[in-house]
Amino acid sequence: EAQLVESGGGSVEPGGSLRLSCTASGFTFDVSDRGWFRQAPGNECELVSSISSDGSTYYADSVKGRFTISQDNAQNTVYLQMNNLRPEDTAVYYCATDFLASELDLKRLVCHTFGNWGQGTQVTVSS
């Protein structure tokens, strides 16, 4: 069964760090993008960061300079290193593949309506 398995979420205090991992099981990454989305209760779906097969990256303005996306194609794994976390980063974070960030309407995203999605991992930033 093809699936994306996420790990690394949790609860941290403001200023803390977390590293999210997402591994493809039952399939391999192809030439499309892969990345991380997030959604908090009552909020819109947001593309946090994406990376292409050749390593080109995108970051939402709200996370630039704090988050870093990377990938290990041999392991079919994509990572999101999150530093200097803020309370507003609190959300469920989803890994997704099989999309092209350049074709998304970033202001009208609806999570889970395109590509392949993981089950999500909760990130809570609170003192």
Side-chain angles (χ1 to χ4, degrees):
E1 178 183 1
Q3 59 180 341
L4 294 169
V5 180
E6 299 145 335
S7 62
S11 296
V12 296
E13 295 185 347
S17 297
L18 287 172
R19 189 192 195 207
L20 305 183
S21 299
C22 171
T23 299
S25 175
F27 70 103
T28 57
F29 289 159
D30 59 13
V31 297
S32 62
D33 296 345
R34 64 293 312 249
W36 295 90
F37 296 76
R38 68 185 179 187
Q39 189 161 28
N43 286 9
E44 300 292 326
C45 180
E46 179 184 16
L47 174 59
V48 176
S49 181
S50 66
I51 187 166
S52 67
S53 58
D54 66 358
S56 299
T57 58
Y58 163 88
Y59 294 97
D61 287 343
S62 58
V63 307
K64 283 180 180 176
R66 301 188 297 122
F67 291 11
T68 302
I69 192 169
S70 61
Q71 63 188 347
D72 183 336
N73 287 327
Q75 298 297 322
N76 288 305
T77 300
V78 60
Y79 305 96
L80 186 68
Q81 177 66 44
M82 305 186 294
N83 297 329
N84 192 19
L85 282 160
R86 304 168 179 169
E88 54 264 39
D89 295 317
T90 296
V92 177
Y93 284 69
Y94 299 95
C95 173
T97 64
D98 197 23
F99 67 92
L100 291 175
S102 61
E103 295 184 351
L104 297 177
D105 183 344
L106 297 182
K107 295 184 179 180
R108 293 188 175 186
L109 290 176
V110 179
C111 288
H112 304 282
T113 59
F114 54 89
N116 297 313
W117 290 71
Q119 80 282 1
T121 185
Q122 177 70 45
V123 171
T124 302
V125 185
S126 174
S127 56

